[in-house]
Amino acid sequence: MNRSVSFQPPRKLRVFAFDPATGNRHANRRIREMTISIPWELDPIPRDQAFIGPDGEYLQIVDFDPASGLFYEPIDLNDPEVLHNNGLSPSEENPFFHQQMVYAVAMNTISVFERALGRVVLWAPRRHDPDHPDQDRYVGKLRVYPHALREANAFYDPHRIALLFGYFTAGRFSRSAPPDSVVFTCLSHDIVVHETCHAILDGMHPHYVENSNRDMLALHEAFADIVAVFQHFSHPRVLEDQIARTRGDLERQSLLGALAQEFGQAIGHAGALRDALGQYVDGKWQPREPDNETLDHLAGPHARGAILVAAVFRAFLSIYRARVADLLRIASGGSGILRDGEIDPDLVKRLAHEAATSAQHILRMCIRAMDYVPPVNVDFGCFLRAVITADHDLYPEDDYHYRRAFIEAFTAWGIVPEGTPVITERSLIWPEFREAAADHQREHDIDSLEADFRGLISRPDEIFKELKRRNDMRDNAGRELIRELESLKDRLVHRLQEKQESSTQTTSARRSLRAFSKNDVLQRNLLGSEFSNDRAVVFLAREFYSLIFWGIISGQQDNELLHMIGITLENDAPNTISRSEITGLPTFQVGSVRMANRVGKRGQTESEYVVEIIQSRDGFLDRQIQALADKGTRTAITRAWRKLHGQKPYRRDFLYRCGCTLLIDTKSFEIRRVIRTRYRADEDEGLERMRRFLKGSTWQARNAFDDPTDGQGTCNAFAELHRHVERGRF
């Protein structure tokens, strides 16, 4: 956020509570709109500068309509009249309000994530462009285009780092908006939250859009839906209205478990686009009953993702019922069954409070879990283990049995981790690293590795000096790495000096910032709280630490220890694992080094460093070519390739990734947990599993980040996931 205005109260803006069609129904008139509070991060507009729309630290609203070739006039959210009235009144026909809607809902979603994760949200960095090698990778602002498409679609574009919302004409089968009227996806609260979640998750885990198993794309979709669903419970007026209508029974059909009502009905669905509670079958509402065999028969990302959402919502319902059981007994004279008619308004408020509390905890459990998953190749079972472990580490007591509710709901839907014969809380928690390492007798090696981590975090200058003294850093590739680290250090100094010059903090704070120079900037923890609010500094520090972590790991000689964290640096590893130009050994990537801060039940702050390590291997659908490529016999590979593909250029068919997430205590620098993929990159069984999946998959979305194989231009897996003109899905 803009710290120069951090003393400002939250900005309040009005938005549609759901979408225009839902709010325009007479029965929903009291919940047509709501006012949300978001951080104040927009500076006043300089009158001598061009202005295209709300432009803050996180978001830039660009209201350009390519189909019409027009820019819509931008709204000034700092206009006194707008501020006085908590923004414009919700309106379908006013483009000013469309801009206000996407800005407010997206910013509110960002705030939800920052509170759960205890750190600032960063967008995915720019992809490397060979034509512009010096281009800054840092992306400060997610661009949001309210009227980008003239079609029934909306999606996150990872190439532009942007959200693109479409608009379309309702057809004759529309059940919400009148036929031939225009439906704007940017006015759906659920759709804006959903797309913002895609962007946030992509910033955390850029490889989660890779179609490496049948759950990967489904997890991306389901996670965005989970956040959108549970956002409904954070708005008191909406929640109380729906609880009054359902008489406290949230398993009944309501707006709370449904997503994108207007959109789903405008394209001909009987109800909402997706609903965690159930669905319409032949015009009749059918509750969604769990079935532990359903997942075995589902392949597409939306169908599978809907099961994960249903499981999480089932866990919520179980917790909610337990929390309100005493209230219902009191209100019913002990029977637990309420009398006919409207329920007491005071009871509605109490039930709403318990529902909101339960939903907030469930949502934070799911968001925090994204720090407790492997960085690649994740399935629903991994997500369950992540939810249970993350919540156990923060709330060991689990007074309301949230974790038990998750385990029961997931197993009811057949979601269990592979290779876990007994499903209990204890068996689902990712193991402590030293417990797992005890049988390997590697305590000394672990101590040495943790000492290196301690030095890197607290005094990165010392580890940097050691890295520069390594023999393998003296050739061209090594010198290039050192130059990149020096460049990052220069940019860190520049950013900190900029911060000092623009600071409105106290004299002592400015004096502290002034002390930074190129020589001393690496003498302190750049991931610490002193810098945690400056997103550019956080990004640059993560980039710097990631490269140094690579240096620490690449210098390890203990192959057994490396195997324990899920990678191999052995010289006889398959040649399809690319080699480092510096070490000549199999290489890997440190995808992220970040800090997580969480507040526990007793108000204590629990902090840890989250480090992601990824190793990749070229995969081929033909096993013969795979075997030849693994051995590196180029002539034989070329001959076999041409026999199968003629003169088509030789290239891999897919990229197989493995790796781990390290959780490191911020005080002791002990590696608490190593959360790794089931297989390493050099283990053929994992490669074969992905090959079988790709050969048998009936839903083949391309990778949103790799170049397409057919040379027909840039692809976008998110656009394909959400193209409902053809698929009727979102």
Side-chain angles (χ1 to χ4, degrees):
M1 310 301 174
N2 191 319
R3 306 305 157 189
S4 65
V5 291
S6 59
F7 58 88
Q8 292 276 13
R11 183 188 298 273
K12 293 186 177 182
L13 292 172
R14 288 181 284 175
V15 298
F16 280 117
F18 293 96
D19 52 51
T22 303
N24 287 340
R25 295 180 189 134
H26 185 264
N28 297 332
R29 63 193 182 278
R30 289 180 293 184
I31 56 170
R32 179 176 185 267
E33 66 177 72
M34 60 187 178
T35 301
I36 58 179
S37 298
I38 57 176
W40 191 286
E41 60 115 40
L42 295 174
D43 281 332
I45 305 161
R47 296 305 174 186
D48 60 343
Q49 293 183 12
F51 175 62
I52 62 172
D55 189 349
E57 185 177 342
Y58 290 80
L59 302 173
Q60 183 181 48
I61 312 302
V62 182
D63 205 353
F64 176 65
D65 185 344
S68 304
L70 297 174
F71 273 99
Y72 289 97
E73 184 179 350
I75 184 175
D76 180 2
L77 292 176
N78 286 319
D79 181 276
E81 186 173 350
V82 173
L83 289 173
H84 178 73
N85 293 302
N86 292 337
L88 303 178
S89 176
S91 168
E92 298 170 67
E93 62 273 9
N94 187 351
F96 285 152
F97 173 74
H98 295 198
Q99 298 167 31
Q100 174 180 302
M101 176 84 181
V102 292
Y103 174 79
V105 176
M107 276 303 305
N108 189 49
T109 306
I110 292 167
S111 298
V112 168
F113 273 81
E114 292 193 337
R115 287 194 295 271
L117 296 173
R119 61 174 181 269
V120 293
V121 161
L122 293 181
W123 309 120
R126 289 185 181 89
R127 299 176 67 200
H128 175 69
D129 184 351
D131 297 329
H132 302 88
D134 297 327
Q135 185 181 46
D136 191 357
R137 280 169 46 82
Y138 173 63
V139 177
K141 301 175 185 181
L142 177 74
R143 287 193 168 187
V144 184
Y145 296 84
H147 307 105
L149 313 162
R150 192 169 289 182
E151 62 173 278
N153 201 358
F155 58 86
Y156 160 65
D157 187 331
H159 300 280
R160 296 186 182 127
I161 316 295
L163 305 183
L164 281 65
F165 293 95
Y167 61 96
F168 62 99
T169 302
R172 62 190 180 94
F173 297 109
S174 171
R175 298 171 180 265
S176 56
D180 298 326
S181 64
V182 180
V183 176
F184 296 94
T185 62
C186 69
L187 296 183
S188 167
H189 187 280
D190 299 335
I191 292 176
V192 177
V193 173
H194 181 101
E195 300 310 330
T196 306
C197 287
H198 276 315
I200 294 172
L201 185 55
D202 187 43
M204 292 179 66
H205 296 292
H207 298 298
Y208 275 25
V209 76
E210 294 174 349
N211 196 28
S212 57
N213 64 59
R214 60 182 185 168
D215 285 346
M216 281 299 295
L217 295 177
L219 179 61
H220 229 297
E221 282 295 288
F223 182 75
D225 279 354
I226 288 167
V227 178
V229 164
F230 285 101
Q231 282 286 78
H232 292 165
F233 292 82
S234 63
H235 309 297
R237 183 190 297 181
V238 171
L239 184 55
E240 290 173 13
D241 176 88
Q242 294 298 294
I243 282 181
R245 292 196 202 187
T246 61
R247 307 182 73 252
D249 182 4
L250 295 183
E251 195 167 14
R252 293 169 55 185
Q253 181 191 3
S254 73
L255 295 175
L256 295 174
L259 289 176
Q261 293 89 349
E262 178 186 50
F263 185 92
Q265 294 174 3
I267 61 175
H269 286 214
L273 192 62
R274 289 197 285 276
D275 200 314
L277 292 171
Q279 59 188 337
Y280 281 94
V281 178
D282 298 328
K284 295 183 179 180
W285 173 258
Q286 298 289 337
R288 188 186 292 271
E289 296 295 335
D291 181 347
N292 61 12
E293 296 183 354
T294 298
L295 271 177
D296 295 336
H297 309 294
L298 298 177
H302 296 98
R304 293 186 67 82
I307 300 302
L308 182 60
V309 178
V312 173
F313 203 85
R314 182 177 176 84
F316 160 75
L317 287 174
S318 178
I319 294 162
Y320 166 73
R321 290 194 192 100
R323 293 183 70 114
V324 303
D326 58 340
L327 295 174
L328 296 179
R329 285 195 300 270
I330 294 170
S332 62
S335 70
I337 302 173
L338 298 175
R339 59 177 175 77
D340 294 338
E342 294 186 1
I343 60 177
D344 188 274
D346 290 332
L347 179 59
V348 168
K349 289 184 181 296
R350 288 294 309 279
L351 294 175
H353 172 75
E354 296 300 332
T357 301
S358 303
Q360 182 185 65
H361 192 95
I362 290 282
L363 180 55
R364 291 187 177 181
M365 286 175 74
C366 292
I367 293 175
R368 286 194 298 264
M370 285 303 170
D371 279 339
Y372 279 70
V373 284
V376 292
N377 217 356
V378 177
D379 58 26
F380 289 171
C382 289
F383 180 70
L384 173 60
R385 297 192 70 175
V387 169
I388 300 302
T389 308
D391 194 66
H392 170 272
D393 285 357
L394 191 59
Y395 302 103
E397 296 86 2
D398 192 20
D399 295 336
Y400 287 95
H401 305 286
Y402 283 83
R403 298 193 286 275
R404 169 49 49 193
F406 261 86
I407 294 169
E408 288 182 357
F410 275 56
T411 53
W413 276 110
I415 302 174
V416 295
E418 185 178 0
T420 309
V422 180
I423 308 299
T424 64
E425 179 178 326
R426 183 178 181 84
S427 69
L428 290 175
I429 294 173
W430 295 112
E432 294 277 353
F433 183 46
R434 287 188 176 267
E435 287 181 14
D439 295 338
H440 298 271
Q441 298 181 348
R442 286 294 187 275
E443 285 80 0
H444 175 75
D445 302 299
I446 294 172
D447 290 341
S448 176
L449 185 60
E450 290 176 347
D452 286 339
F453 289 167
R454 181 182 300 109
L456 171 59
I457 297 295
S458 58
R459 285 292 300 268
D461 56 331
E462 296 298 329
I463 303 296
F464 189 19
K465 290 175 184 176
E466 290 182 18
L467 184 63
K468 288 192 287 187
R469 288 194 292 266
R470 270 176 38 176
N471 290 333
D472 54 11
M473 293 297 162
R474 296 174 182 176
D475 59 10
N476 290 336
R479 287 197 297 268
E480 181 60 33
L481 174 64
I482 298 302
R483 280 195 294 270
E484 187 173 354
L485 286 164
E486 292 283 5
S487 174
L488 284 168
K489 184 169 70 169
D490 290 343
R491 292 168 61 196
L492 275 165
V493 172
H494 179 69
R495 176 65 184 181
L496 290 167
Q497 289 175 344
E498 278 188 336
K499 181 180 178 181
Q500 190 276 327
E501 291 171 1
S502 62
S503 176
T504 60
Q505 298 174 348
T506 64
T507 302
S508 60
R510 289 199 301 272
R511 196 178 297 124
S512 173
L513 287 170
R514 193 179 296 120
F516 284 105
S517 69
K518 185 175 179 179
N519 294 326
D520 66 13
V521 69
L522 299 184
Q523 294 180 9
R524 57 195 83 194
N525 180 0
L526 293 172
L527 295 177
S529 59
E530 183 179 359
F531 311 103
S532 61
N533 288 333
D534 189 307
R535 296 170 64 241
V537 170
V538 171
F539 176 84
L540 292 170
R542 288 189 191 179
E543 295 269 285
F544 186 89
Y545 281 127
S546 293
L547 291 177
I548 298 285
F549 261 111
W550 182 92
I552 290 174
I553 298 295
S554 67
Q556 293 295 314
Q557 304 295 321
D558 189 331
N559 289 322
E560 186 68 30
L561 179 62
L562 293 170
H563 286 179
M564 288 170 57
I565 64 175
I567 63 172
T568 179
L569 299 187
E570 296 178 60
N571 196 38
D572 60 353
N575 285 323
T576 44
I577 301 176
S578 59
R579 264 47 182 177
S580 166
E581 295 181 1
I582 296 175
T583 66
L585 297 173
T587 193
F588 58 93
Q589 170 194 1
V590 178
S592 178
V593 180
R594 57 183 184 263
M595 177 180 274
N597 299 289
R598 291 99 181 218
V599 179
K601 178 182 177 181
R602 296 178 297 279
Q604 81 281 9
T605 299
E606 302 289 345
S607 301
E608 59 195 357
Y609 299 110
V610 183
V611 181
E612 296 180 347
I613 302 173
I614 301 167
Q615 193 162 48
S616 304
R617 179 179 177 183
D618 288 347
F620 298 87
L621 295 176
D622 184 271
R623 294 181 181 86
Q624 179 186 3
I625 292 178
Q626 183 75 57
L628 293 170
D630 288 340
K631 294 178 181 177
T633 54
R634 185 72 183 188
T635 301
I637 295 171
T638 303
R639 188 182 305 117
W641 179 268
R642 287 179 177 173
K643 185 177 179 180
L644 285 173
H645 302 288
Q647 296 302 313
K648 185 178 179 180
Y650 168 81
R651 60 171 293 164
R652 65 174 180 258
D653 292 316
F654 60 94
L655 200 58
Y656 172 59
R657 300 189 198 271
C658 300
C660 72
T661 298
L662 304 178
L663 301 180
I664 303 173
D665 186 85
T666 57
K667 298 181 179 68
S668 66
F669 295 94
E670 176 184 348
I671 303 174
R672 291 200 311 107
R673 303 189 191 277
V674 174
I675 301 167
R676 49 164 294 186
T677 52
R678 186 175 180 85
Y679 302 100
R680 297 192 311 271
D682 60 329
E683 294 178 307
D684 291 338
E685 184 176 350
L687 180 73
E688 175 60 24
R689 287 161 68 104
M690 184 171 176
R691 180 185 294 116
R692 289 199 303 267
F693 163 70
L694 293 175
K695 283 185 173 182
S697 177
T698 58
W699 202 96
Q700 288 283 344
R702 293 177 184 156
N703 187 319
F705 300 92
D706 287 345
D707 292 332
T709 59
D710 57 8
Q712 294 181 356
T714 302
C715 65
N716 184 341
F718 292 103
E720 293 302 310
L721 276 171
H722 291 180
R723 197 169 301 282
H724 14 56
V725 170
E726 298 175 359
R727 299 192 178 95
R729 291 175 175 171
F730 187 80

